[in-house]
Amino acid sequence: MRNVENRKYVIALIFLIIPVIFIVRLFYMQVVDDKWKDRAAQISENRITTYPARGIVYDRNGVKIISNEVYYDIHVIPKQAANTDSVALVKLLGISMEEYVTKMNKARNYSRRKPSEIVRQIPPNEFSQIAPELYKYPGFFEVARTLRVYPKKIAAHVLGYMNEANASDIEKDSYYKSGDYIGRSGIEKMYEKELRGQRGVKYYLQDAIGLSTGKYEDGKYDTLAVQGQNITLSIDWELQAYGEKLMKNKLGSIVAIEPSSGEILAMVSAPTYDPNLLVGRHLGANYGALAEDTLLPLQNRSINSAYPPGSIFKTVMALIGMQEGVITENASFPCNKALAGCHNHPTAQNVSDGVKMSCNPYFIQLVRRIVQQGKDKSIFKDAAIGLDIWAKYVRSFGIGTDLQVDYPTNVHGNVPDAAYYDKHLNFRWAFSTIQSIAIGQGEVLITPLEMANLAAIMANRGYFIPPHFIKSIEGGEIPEVYRTKKYTLVDSAYYEPVIDGMWRVVHEAGGTARRARIDSIEVCGKTGTVENFKRISGKVYQLTDHSNFMAFAPRENPQIAISVFIENSGFGGTWSAPLASLMIEKYITGTVSDTAKENRIINANLIPDADDIIRK
Amino acid sequence: MRGQETKLFAHIDWGLLGVYFILVFLGISNIYSSVFDPDNPGLFNLNTEHGKQIMWFGVALFLGLVIFFLESNFIRKYAYWFYGFTMLLLVAVLFTKPIHGARSWFGIGSVGIQPSEFAKIGVSLALARFIDLNSNLKERRTTNTAKGLSILWGIIPFISKNKSTALILGIPCSLVLLQPDAGTFIVFTSFLLVLYREGYAGNILLFLVISVIMAVITLIVADSNFMLLFTKIKLSGKTGIIIVLFILSGIFAAIIRSFVMKRNRKPLYRSLIGSFLVAVIFVNFVELGYSNILQPHQKERIDLLLGKIDDPDGKGYNINRAKAAIGSGGFMGKGFKSATLANASQRHVPMQSTDFIFCTWSEERGFLGAFILVGLYTFLLLKMVVVAERQRSVFTRVYAYSVASIFFYHFMINIGMAIGLAPVIGIPLPFFSYGGSSMMSFSVLIFILLKLDSERKIVLQ
C-alpha cells in the first residue's frame, strides 16, 4: 500500500492545526485585545444621564431671581405616527411645514422605533395650549426638561445666560457632554460649578433595536444626581429693578455697593434686556438680534467699559497730595485759566473748597507738586519718578487693577505710569505734557465698578472690601478675599476734608450736585463731566459729554456707595447726580419723596441721535 | 436476557460515547442559557428551543438504540439503498415551497426536516461501501504517472478514472446546489479528506492549499487596478497575477535549465507549461465566479472576511456582533444566563441559537469555556481517527473517516466564521446549534460508528 498509511498523520495534523489556530485567535480576542469588550459595551449598554436641578439664585432678601422651569420638547416615534394630520399638527406646534418634513425625515432615518426630537423647549405657557390636543397625534409625546427662568426679569448682565456646551467647553472640562447646558456669562458662568450640581448616570442593557431590557449589573455602577447648590447674591432686586427703570432710554450704568461689606447692591447697564429672552428655543434668534443692536445691549457697561473718570478723580488727587505732604488741607491755588478752562467761582481756599468748586487749575497745580517733586535735576526724570509715585497711590484705590469681582471679566481702568508714557509718546515728556490726568481726563480710565468702589473707599475713609455679588453659598463658604479689608496708601485722617467737600457739593449753594440733595439724608458726592471724543474715519469729533457722579450716604455710617455714568448726557450735575440720589433714597428709606425729580429722570430720553456729531 | 444485553453493548468505545454525551449536555445547557425566559423557566417545555432540543435528543437516543439492535452486515449491505433513499429525498425536497429562498426543508406540521443532513449519512455509507467493494482495484490507487506540479492539472484524468466515486459525491453536491444550499455543498467537499486517506490523488491536499491561496489573492485584487511600474499603463489586478505567474514560471524554467540534465528537462518543461495554463484558467475562473456567479450577499461575506469592506452596522452586522459577543467574554466569561449580546432577549447576535451558538458559549464561559469546547471537539476528531485506524474492515475505516471529516468541517467553518476566520456560511455546530435534523443526523453518524466499531473484533473483512 505504498506510503498511504502515513497519510493518517497528515489528517491528524490537520485536525490539530485548526483548533490550535482557533485557540490562539480566541485567546487574542477574549483575553489580550480589549477592542471587542469596548465594542460590546457600546452595542449592549445604554447610559442614561439624570440631570440635577440647577441651583436657585436668591437676592439679598431671599427673593428668587433665578429659578428653574419645566420646558417641553416634543418627540416622535415614527413607527407609531403613521397617519398624522400634518397640517393641523404643524399649526398646533407652531413650526413651518418645511421644518416638520425635514425633522420627520431625519427621525425616520435615525430610527423608526426610537424617539426623535421634533420641537424643542416649548415654554409652559405655550405648552398648555398644545397639551390637550396632543393625544390626537399618536406617536408624538412631550419630554420635560428644566430650563432657567428669571422671574423678576432684571439684571440680565449680572446674571448672564446659558447655552449648549460647545466643542471647546467639552475639551476643557470632561464633565460636559454634547447637549449639556453651560453658564455662558455673568453669575451663571462664574458660579457654574456650584450651580450645576452633579449629574447622575444609570446604565441599562439594551437590545438590538435599542430598547431597554434591564439594569446593567443591578445598578452597581449607577450614580445619583446631586442637586446644584443654591446661592444668595448681594443684589437687592427692588433696587436693581428701580435702577433699570430709571435708566430706561439712557446709555450707561449704575453700580451700588454696601461700603462696609463690599457687597454689590445693584448693577445696572443700560440698555438692558429681559434675561428670559436668552432661554429656550428662541435663544439663537434673540441673541442675534441683541448682538446686532448698535446700542450694544449685550455689553455690561458697569464692568466691561472704561471711561475717563473726569472730575470725580480730583478727590483722589487731593488725598494723595495731603498724604505725600505736598499740600495741607488748607492749600490754596489760584484759578489760573491759562492752565485749563474753568467756570467762574471764588478762589478755592482749601481742599474742601477745591473739591466743592471742582476747580481745574487748582488740581493741575496740586498734581504738579506730586509729580514734579524735584527729586532729580532733570525735569523729565523728575516727572517719571513723581508719576510712578502718583500711579502707585492711584492704584491703591483699586483703579486700573483687578478688583477680584466675582464676574467673568478682564476689563479694568488705566493708570498711566512712566513706562506707559515712554511707550506711547514718541517725545520727551514732563508734567505739563500730561497734566490733564490731574482732572481725570487723558489717559486715565476707570470702570463704573471702580468708580463705585472709589465711592465706597470715601465712605470707609480709606479702605475697601473687594466688591462682589456672592452673599452666601448653600453648603459652601464665600472666599476669604470678600471679607478682607484693603487699605489705600492714604491715611484715613486725610479723608475728612475731601468728604467735607463732597458734602458741600450736594448741600451748599455753588455745589455742582445740588440736584442730588435729599432732605432726610446727608449725601456726599462728586460730579464728573467727561469729554467724549469719537474717531470716525480718521477724524476725531467731539460728541456730547458723558456725565458721571459718585456718592455715598449717609455721611456718617454710610449704607450705600454709588456710581452713575450716563453717556452723552452733558453736565454731571444734570442727570447723573439726581439719578444717584433717587437710588440712595430708594435704598435707605424704601420710598422716593420727590416724585417730580423721579418723573423727570424716568421720562428723559438721553440716547444720542445718529446726528449727534452734527448737532454739536 | 442479561447475556444478550451485555452482548449488545459489548466493545463499545466509552470514550467516544462519553464525549458525545458531554457535548450534548453542554449544548442543551447552552441553548437553555441563551434563550432563557424568566416567565417561562421550565426545562422541558416543548414551546422553548431547549425543550425541543431535549426532545430531539430523545429521538436520537431511540434511533441509536435501533442501530444497536441492527446487524453490522445489515448496515453494510443496505448502504447503497440508504444512499439512494436520501438522494430521493434530496430530489423530492426540490419540489417543496421555498423557505427563505431555498428549497431545503420538508415541513411536517411545525416540525421541519432537512434531508441534506441525512444525505451526509447516506454518502458516508455509500462511499464506505464503494471503496470497500473496490479495494482491490488498482486504478484508484495512483492517479497518473506525471510528477511534480503537473499533478495540478491531473484533476480531470482523476475524475475520469474514478467515475463512480465522482458520481457518489457529485449527485448530492449537485442536488444541494439546486436548493440552493452552499453550506451543505461545502460540507460535502469534506469527503476529499477521506479520498486522500484512501490513497486517491496523492497531492490533492497540496493542490487544495495552492488553489485556496491563489483564490484568496485573486479575490483580494479582483476589483482593483494598479499602475505598471515605471509606466502609466493601468492594469487590472487579474492581469497582475498572471504577470506574476509568468515571471514565476520563467524562474522555474531557469532553475530547471541550470540544475537538471538535458535529457530530463523535457517532461519538466511540459508540466511547467501545463501548470501555468491551469493556473491562468483557475484565476480567470475564480474571478468570473466571484464577479458573475456568486450572489451579492455571498460576495459581501467574502469581501467582509478579506477586509475589503468594513461596515460594522450594515453588511458586517452579524459578524461584528458575533465577534463583540465572543471578545467581551474575557477569560472567565460573563456567567451562565448572563450573556448581554448573544442572548435571545437581547437579540444583538442574529441566529444566536443556531449558526452563532458558539457566541453564547464563548460570551458566558469566556476563553476558559471556549478552550474546553475546542478541546472536546479536538478530542472527538482525534478519537475518530484512532477508531478508524484500528479497523480491519475497510468499510468501517472509510466510514469513520467520513464521520470525522464531516464533524471537522462543521467545527472548522462554524467556529471559524464566528471568530472571523471563515466567511459566514450557515452550517450548524454539532450538538450545540439548535435544530432537530442536525441533532438526529450527527447522533446517528456517531451511533453507526459506535456500532461498527464495537464489532471490529468479529469482522474479518
Side-chain angles (χ1 to χ4, degrees), chain A residues 143-158:
Chain A
V143 173
R145 69 149 88 194
T146 60
L147 286 180
R148 283 310 223 193
V149 64
Y150 304 89
K152 298 299 179 194
K153 302 179 184 176
I154 53 155
H157 299 97
V158 174

Side-chain angles (χ1 to χ4, degrees), chain B residues 186 215-220 222 286 289-291 294-309 315 420 422-425:
Chain B
I186 287 169
V216 167
I217 295 172
T218 311
L219 291 173
I220 288 175
V286 169
Y290 169 76
S291 306
L294 282 189
Q295 292 174 3
H297 74 270
Q298 289 168 328
K299 214 176 139 177
E300 251 169 50
R301 288 173 181 179
I302 290 172
D303 287 347
L304 281 167
L305 182 70
L306 297 177
K308 281 167 81 176
I309 51 175
K315 291 166 183 162
V424 176
I425 296 167

